[in-house]
Amino acid sequence: MVGETGDTAAAAQGKRPHVIIVGGGFGGLAAAKALAGAPVDVTLIDKRNHHLFQPLLYQVATAGLSPADIAGSIRAILARQKNVRVLLDRVYGVDRERRRVILGDGEPLAYDWLIIATGATHSYFGREDWAPYAPGVKTIDDATAIRRRVLLALERAETETDEDKRKALLTFVVIGGGPTGVEMAGAIAELARQSVSMDFRHITPHCSRIFLLQKGDRLLPAFPPALSAKARKGIEELGVEVRLEAHVTEIDADGVIVDGERISAATTIWASGVMASRAAEWLGCNGDRAGRVPVGADFHPAGDPAVFVIGDTAACTDAAGRALPGVAPVAKQQGQHAARAIRDALGGRTTPPFRYRDYGNMATIGRSRAIADFGRLRVTGLAAWLLWCVAHIWFLTGHRNRISVGISWLWSYLTYQRGARLITGDVAPDLPATWELAPALGRNRAGHLEVIPAE
């Protein structure tokens, strides 16, 4: 095996085998933790210094949580693992022949085993020009940018006197009816219709409109139809207008065009397609339609046992031939399996085929509303929402984050208030076109530029 050859080469040089993990998400972190105490040296490379709990990013985007509540330093998480070092760098390629990872800043690193867990980003299905007008939410930067858009729209609607502009500011469009889209639409509805209504004087709960556009014939297609119907009913009760089989043909700064109708909206959010990282390009493989690397049950691309590709970066199926979903539990189990395969290779053992253990699927719709599918057992309403809360708090990294999120959710539930409603950056509105700076007047005694109406 290639892995055995690499092990022998490392031993001949008096070095322990070197495992490189690219990506500090769920899969990469699970692999690193599973290699604790193994007779290998592990290098985890990520372009960011933090591990992010992506399932709760939408709550940062809607001011429910702060970024620090759902993120933790990778170095701190792995600090007690003496065989692991963390590098803050970007990967630009993989030299499979010489077994090296090409970095952006540092020298190429040689590996005996390589685990690629670089996740996925947004896909606009060839319409990349839509990206500036309909951002997705995959990173903390994405979430805080969307939070800024949503909160600024509310602030400007408070003082806008033009009725058409005010309606556009209070219209929010979410494109995509999967878990992210449903959860985002529900959270925006609660924020715009409930949480802020007591703080603003000219925005009432019925001023805002939230559209959820789904290309398919039902929301949450990964769930059974009965639960999808429950989800639709629940989110519509929050005031979200659901449009199924909706075909978006244009997105611009003024809103979207769907099925020939323009919806004027100041805020549009993309929650539809995803595209894998450039791992297929690095490995010289032909990716699938989403750019994922085709792998077998052992997660090796093209029969290369020195390389594992896991998580959203990999296109793989379960024992029944069904494609594995791009969710955190899949990535974590795959990372643990890759680490076990390396341990088995070191011990001369054979690793059994990977088998995904599906513990269920959950999605929240809003306050006290959620659905949960555990196979034969299906739960909806408050009970499902409580299960969703407990599960997400449990899988957060670090006790501080668990306590912080638990307290934030309890406070929001009791008071309807959102504690992270911060607009960062320069929020000064642009001067109207009928106003101009008056250089002749200079600055007033306070040092501020004075303005006068343009003649």
Side-chain angles (χ1 to χ4, degrees):
M1 292 178 61
V2 177
E4 294 171 346
T5 302
D7 186 15
T8 303
Q13 297 175 8
K15 299 179 181 179
R16 300 207 306 178
H18 187 205
V19 179
I20 293 180
I21 302 173
V22 183
F26 291 107
L29 204 59
K33 289 181 176 180
L35 288 171
V40 296
D41 291 321
V42 179
T43 299
L44 191 151
I45 306 169
D46 199 293
K47 62 183 179 182
R48 297 182 178 86
N49 76 332
H50 55 268
H51 168 73
L52 180 63
F53 193 78
Q54 281 193 347
L56 292 181
L57 263 179
Y58 81 95
Q59 294 228 351
V60 174
T62 54
L65 297 172
S66 68
D69 290 335
I70 63 169
S73 165
I74 297 175
R75 292 186 183 277
I77 294 170
L78 299 175
R80 295 186 179 182
Q81 280 189 232
K82 300 305 180 183
N83 67 332
V84 177
R85 69 166 178 159
V86 178
L87 291 184
L88 182 67
D89 208 335
R90 288 178 178 269
V91 172
Y92 282 89
V94 175
D95 184 348
R96 293 174 70 179
E97 183 176 348
R98 301 172 66 181
R99 291 196 195 173
R100 300 191 309 170
V101 173
I102 311 303
L103 302 179
D105 297 327
E107 295 294 322
L109 291 180
Y111 64 85
D112 293 284
W113 285 282
L114 172 64
I115 301 175
I116 298 179
T118 45
T121 186
H122 320 296
S123 172
Y124 292 89
F125 309 110
R127 292 300 305 267
E128 302 308 316
D129 56 307
W130 290 352
Y133 311 115
V137 55
K138 285 292 184 182
T139 67
I140 285 179
D141 291 338
D142 294 337
T144 54
I146 291 174
R147 181 181 69 185
R148 173 186 167 86
R149 288 193 182 202
V150 172
L151 296 180
L152 272 178
L154 294 170
E155 293 287 350
R156 289 172 176 168
E158 174 76 356
T159 57
E160 180 59 61
T161 56
D162 184 285
E163 188 61 24
D164 290 336
K165 291 181 180 178
R166 189 169 185 271
K167 286 181 178 179
L169 286 168
L170 292 175
T171 300
F172 305 88
V173 177
V174 180
I175 302 173
T180 300
V182 170
E183 291 170 352
M184 180 71 76
I188 291 176
E190 290 188 333
L191 173 66
R193 286 176 164 262
Q194 297 175 2
S195 298
V196 303
S197 60
M198 64 183 69
D199 297 340
F200 289 83
R201 298 297 174 261
H202 298 93
I203 298 178
T204 67
H206 300 290
C207 288
S208 303
R209 296 185 72 186
I210 301 93
F211 291 90
L212 178 57
L213 310 181
Q214 165 69 331
K215 188 176 181 180
D217 59 358
R218 61 187 178 96
L219 299 179
L220 301 172
F223 286 80
L227 290 182
S228 294
K230 286 273 189 179
R232 179 177 180 178
K233 180 181 178 181
I235 203 166
E236 286 179 336
E237 289 175 351
L238 288 174
V240 177
E241 299 179 40
V242 177
R243 295 195 181 183
L244 302 178
E245 298 183 339
H247 298 278
V248 176
T249 55
E250 194 61 51
I251 304 175
D252 54 34
D254 298 320
V256 305
I257 297 177
V258 53
D259 295 327
E261 175 192 353
R262 171 168 285 280
I263 299 176
S264 297
T267 305
T268 303
I269 300 171
W270 186 262
S272 187
V274 295
M275 177 66 67
S277 69
R278 297 174 56 194
E281 180 182 332
W282 299 344
L283 299 172
C285 301
N286 292 322
D288 67 1
R289 293 175 59 185
R292 297 173 300 181
V293 178
V295 297
D298 51 10
F299 309 130
H300 299 314
D304 185 350
V307 179
F308 299 85
V309 183
I310 62 174
D312 291 345
T313 318
C316 54
T317 59
D318 60 14
R322 295 169 298 190
L324 292 177
V327 294
V330 171
K332 293 175 71 171
Q333 292 181 36
Q334 289 176 338
Q336 293 164 354
H337 183 87
R340 178 182 179 183
I342 292 173
R343 285 179 174 271
D344 288 344
L346 292 170
R349 299 181 296 272
T350 301
T351 307
F354 173 76
R355 182 179 179 182
Y356 172 55
R357 295 173 177 83
D358 188 354
Y359 296 108
N361 200 7
M362 293 185 288
T364 183
I365 302 160
R367 177 187 176 89
S368 303
R369 294 177 172 90
I371 58 174
D373 177 23
F374 301 111
R376 295 182 179 180
L377 176 62
R378 297 173 183 175
V379 186
T380 62
L382 177 61
W385 182 75
L386 291 173
L387 287 172
W388 181 92
C389 290
V390 170
H392 281 69
I393 290 175
W394 176 259
F395 286 113
L396 279 168
T397 301
H399 296 300
R400 189 202 71 84
N401 285 3
R402 296 188 184 107
I403 294 172
S404 178
V405 170
I407 292 174
S408 295
W409 282 351
L410 179 60
W411 176 258
S412 296
Y413 184 82
L414 295 175
T415 66
Y416 287 90
Q417 291 294 310
R418 300 202 167 221
R421 283 166 45 191
L422 303 178
I423 302 175
T424 56
D426 183 10
V427 299
D430 298 331
L431 287 173
T434 55
W435 290 70
E436 62 181 10
L437 290 176
L441 296 178
R443 296 180 180 272
N444 61 22
R445 293 181 180 179
H448 302 300
L449 285 172
E450 292 184 345
V451 295
I452 60 171
E455 296 181 0

